[in-house]
Amino acid sequence: MISHRDRVMTALEHKKTDRVPLDLGGTQTSILVEPYNALKKSLGINTHTHISNILLGLAEIDEQILNRFDIDFRHVLPKQSNDFKFELNQDDSFFDEFGTLWKRPSGGYYYDMVDFPLKSCSLEDLSKFKWPNPLDNGRIRGVREELEKLSNETDFAIEAGLVGLWESSWFLVGLEQWLVSLSDNPDFVETLLDQTLLFLKQLHGNYLDIAGQYLDLVTLWDDYGTQSASLISPIMWRRLVKPRLAELISLIRSKTDAYIGIHSCGSIQALLDDLTEIGIQVINPVQVSAKNMNPNELKKRYGSRLTFWGGIDSHFLLPNGSPQEVKKAVINTINTMSVDGGYILSAVHNIQPGVPPENIISMYDTALTFSE
């Protein structure tokens, strides 16, 4: 029997394996509490549900579920710093360690950013901004022990998700102000990107000094896409983001032999050649409902250079399709994307409320039993 890790590594090496690797967990291929509880009930699993990520409303996935679907990955993330104390306000809002205010709307499942410490887009305010300590020991508390246990006692592939450059910058400003500033306030934008890069190099370097030797995949979260195009023009992205992202990827590569991926929702086909050029090897979540993200075209054009991770539509198929339609889509996707390896199956981003458990079961059980 091939091990879970060997299955994943074989796929990442663009070689055919016994079945497509499967993922469920982390922060971009996980499941929210409501559909998770429905899934447990459907499977007859009666355990208490813990929250793994309050910001995104994600459930901590029980090993019974992971084993039921023979999930090949386990995810180990950096921890919170000792300096940061999470405090939820009475109006269901909180400040993160950077000073950005997040609030959950009434009836909502996760939190939105509503106020920003650098919304003025002022160089003066940026010069006074107090960055959190990237080297705080709390961020790596228990990480080595957790990774050693997974490495020594299990055969799972291990992934770590890390915050990215583009998102970490605009999270301090607000997206609307940030996009306007790309043209109207370029000095501020470049200065903030430079300072964010310096912070992330220290933050991720510190984590990878502990974790790097154990990891099989490192993913940067850095959404560039909308449903129809990139948020930023490819020309501007190449000038502002690409060289700095390349520097961050170079730092990561110096700390680990793991494959390096990027998580970006939306239509990012226009950036894929550039991303491969600077060292990106894996793309998640492959939002197939977005423009120019057709699996056949992506595999044909980039299949020898990129591993695609995700690809099962969560926009229309999983919430609205029948289990039989999900089964058909999974088979079609595997037939297309896993030719000569280079594919890891999961939903496109975290499974949302409204997705029936029957469709989740159909997705994973089809992948488990299907052979090319």
Side-chain angles (χ1 to χ4, degrees), residues 155-191:
D155 69 349
F156 300 115
I158 306 174
E159 187 267 350
L162 306 177
V163 294
L165 172 69
W166 165 260
E167 282 195 355
S168 295
S169 297
W170 77 254
F171 279 17
L172 301 173
V173 174
L175 184 57
E176 184 176 350
Q177 282 293 102
W178 178 250
L179 294 177
V180 170
S181 295
L182 293 175
S183 296
D184 292 357
N185 201 349
D187 288 346
F188 171 82
V189 167
E190 296 213 44
T191 304

Side-chain angles (χ1 to χ4, degrees), residues 119-139:
K119 61 186 175 185
S120 67
C121 298
S122 158
L123 283 170
E124 181 180 357
D125 287 347
L126 179 54
S127 70
K128 299 174 184 175
F129 182 68
K130 182 173 173 54
W131 290 87
N133 179 7
L135 305 179
D136 185 293
N137 284 334
R139 302 185 191 280

